Amino acid sequence: MTTPVVSIAYHSGFGHTSVLAEAVRDGVTTAGATAHLINVEEISEEQWSLLDASDAIVFGSPTYMGTASAVFHAFAETSSKRWFNQAWKDKIAAGFTISAGKSGDKLNTLQYFTVLAAQHHMHWVGLGLMPGWNTSTASENDLNRLGFFLGAAAQGNQDQGAEGVHKADIATAAELGKRVVEVARVYAAGRTALAA
């Protein structure tokens, strides 16, 4: 069984997205893979090289005004240098985001990540969880309580700091990390089988 390397490339304006990035990392390591947290606001050349060497990259950003943050957009534009030589081609990709609203146009941010991944010729992995909190007997503490499929979406009250990120959303982000590892392993096994 392979040990995938997963890098989590994220921006966090006020600490909320960092909580989710750490949860994704915890999910990755729980699944037996290697994880790297990369804050794109202060990314170094060494960290760009880590992204290039990773089996999977998980993108994360708060949703500001219906899309990823300006800092994340700047990182994405800089990644075009990787696009020219196809450095991220065939890597696994996934994403997560957070806003104060239950919906908050987070879907648009996740869609932005999928387009970024597609331009890099990466393979997108969705959340892989059924929606929670959608029956009379369900709870706001259910995994995927906000009912997103494209990636992990979270909510945190705008009048609270990182401690206000909902615990179910943190657990959902960890599940995303586990799923990325599972898919990366299947993909690696397929490559090995084809090469045999």
Side-chain angles (χ1 to χ4, degrees):
M1 188 165 61
T2 62
T3 304
V5 176
V6 179
S7 286
I8 300 130
Y10 73 97
H11 170 244
S12 186
F14 299 96
H16 305 84
T17 313
S18 291
V19 170
L20 297 177
E22 291 164 3
V24 172
R25 178 204 58 203
D26 293 347
V28 168
T29 57
T30 297
T34 301
H36 300 291
L37 282 177
I38 298 174
N39 181 344
V40 301
E41 188 168 25
E42 49 196 38
I43 189 168
S44 66
E45 282 304 316
E46 180 184 356
Q47 290 172 320
W48 279 111
S49 296
L50 279 175
L51 291 172
D52 296 345
S54 295
D55 299 295
I57 301 173
V58 183
F59 301 121
S61 170
T63 294
Y64 292 158
M65 301 307 292
T67 188
S69 67
V71 171
F72 190 91
H73 276 269
F75 158 77
E77 289 179 21
T78 304
S79 78
S80 65
K81 295 173 184 173
R82 269 65 192 167
W83 176 83
F84 280 110
N85 63 15
Q86 299 292 280
W88 295 355
K89 183 178 181 179
D90 290 332
K91 293 185 186 300
I92 302 299
F96 60 94
T97 188
I98 185 169
S99 69
K102 299 290 190 289
S103 171
D105 293 323
K106 289 186 271 280
L107 178 59
N108 194 53
T109 300
L110 294 172
Q111 289 171 327
Y112 168 72
F113 292 156
T114 64
V115 172
L116 174 63
Q119 289 193 342
H120 280 288
H121 304 287
M122 301 169 81
H123 302 285
W124 188 262
V125 174
L127 182 56
L129 292 175
M130 295 298 286
W133 201 21
N134 63 355
T135 68
S136 62
T137 58
S139 162
E140 70 171 304
N141 297 311
D142 292 344
L143 288 174
N144 196 19
R145 71 187 182 106
L146 300 178
F148 282 76
F149 293 90
L150 203 56
Q155 184 267 336
N157 295 326
Q158 65 182 1
D159 60 345
Q160 290 183 293
E163 76 281 358
V165 180
H166 199 284
K167 301 303 182 202
D169 299 339
I170 295 170
T172 299
E175 291 299 314
L176 177 66
K178 293 176 192 174
R179 178 161 167 79
V180 167
V181 173
E182 291 167 5
V183 173
R185 281 201 175 106
V186 169
Y187 194 80
R191 277 188 169 175
T192 301
L194 287 172

